[in-house]
Amino acid sequence: MNIIRKQTHAVFIATLILFFNIHPVFSEPLAALPLNSQELIIKAEWEKLLNELTANALGYLEDKVEFLPFGGMLANSQNIDILTVGKDILVPEDAIENINQNLKQKIEKGGIKAIGIVSLVQSQDEHGEKSIEAVRVILEHREGLALQVLISYGWKESGEFWTGTPVE
C-alpha cells in the first residue's frame, strides 16, 4: 500500500508541476523583486498555508480521528480555503485524485498563490509493524517551487497527544 501511495503522490506532483508550467493563469512572476525578497514572500505564503493545513490535520488526530487526504489553497487575497472530499470517497488514493481535480479547477479560475495536500503516512519496521506515523503536507507555489513537510505524531501511554518537529 505504501508503494501505491508513493506512486500516486509522484503522479500527483508530476501532474501539478506540468499543469503549473503550461497554465499561464497560475503564473504571476515575482521576477521584478530581488531573489531574497521573492524567497521571503514565498516562505511567508507557504508558512501561512502550512500552519492552517497542519492545524486542521493535528486537530483531527488529537481527537483520535484519522482522516482522508485533504487540500488547501492560498488565494491572492490571503484567504485560505480547505478542500475536502465527499462522503462517498473512502480510499486515500481516490481522495487525492478528487482533491487534485478540484485544485485544477480552482487554478484555472486564477487568483491562487499556493496549494497544499495533506495526508497521513506510516513507515513499517522489518517485522511489518508500524514504526512511525506522520502527517505529510506537500506544498506547491505558483512560482514553481515545491516543499514537502513531515510531522510525526502519536499518543503517550497516558493518552496525551504529541507531535514531533516538522521536517522538510
Side-chain angles (χ1 to χ4, degrees):
M1 183 163 211
N2 284 340
I3 293 172
I4 293 171
R5 282 188 182 166
K6 286 178 184 176
Q7 290 173 344
T8 301
H9 289 296
V11 169
F12 169 74
I13 291 170
T15 301
L16 287 178
I17 290 169
L18 177 63
F19 186 77
F20 294 154
N21 287 336
I22 64 171
H23 218 306
V25 174
F26 199 69
S27 278
E28 294 176 17
L30 296 172
L33 296 173
L35 186 58
N36 289 343
S37 296
Q38 292 174 28
E39 290 172 358
L40 290 175
I41 290 170
I42 290 168
K43 286 180 181 179
E45 291 169 348
W46 268 346
E47 186 173 334
K48 182 174 182 159
L49 183 56
L50 179 64
N51 288 342
E52 184 74 23
L53 293 173
T54 55
N56 281 322
L58 297 176
Y60 290 134
L61 292 170
E62 194 167 2
D63 292 336
K64 297 186 179 179
V65 176
E66 287 196 10
F67 58 85
L68 285 172
F70 64 91
M73 57 189 183
L74 175 66
N76 287 343
S77 64
Q78 296 299 314
N79 291 333
I80 294 176
D81 291 327
I82 302 295
L83 302 171
T84 59
V85 296
K87 294 181 183 204
D88 58 325
I89 297 177
L90 303 174
V91 179
E93 290 77 14
D94 293 344
I96 290 172
E97 178 71 26
N98 183 271
I99 295 296
N100 187 16
Q101 292 302 318
N102 287 336
L103 286 171
K104 281 182 184 179
Q105 291 171 0
K106 302 284 185 181
I107 291 167
E108 287 174 352
K109 292 179 183 176
I112 306 298
K113 288 184 173 194
I115 61 167
I117 297 282
V118 181
S119 59
L120 297 175
V121 294
Q122 297 176 355
S123 67
Q124 296 178 346
D125 64 16
E126 62 275 3
H127 305 294
E129 305 272 329
K130 282 194 285 189
S131 59
I132 297 175
E133 295 179 302
V135 172
R136 176 175 40 198
V137 183
I138 299 171
L139 300 170
E140 295 265 349
H141 195 275
R142 71 176 167 206
E143 294 300 319
L145 300 173
L147 174 70
Q148 176 176 270
V149 177
L150 294 172
I151 305 168
S152 58
Y153 69 90
W155 291 268
K156 297 179 180 178
E157 286 184 24
S158 65
E160 181 184 351
F161 182 71
W162 62 268
T163 60
T165 303
V167 177
E168 292 181 22

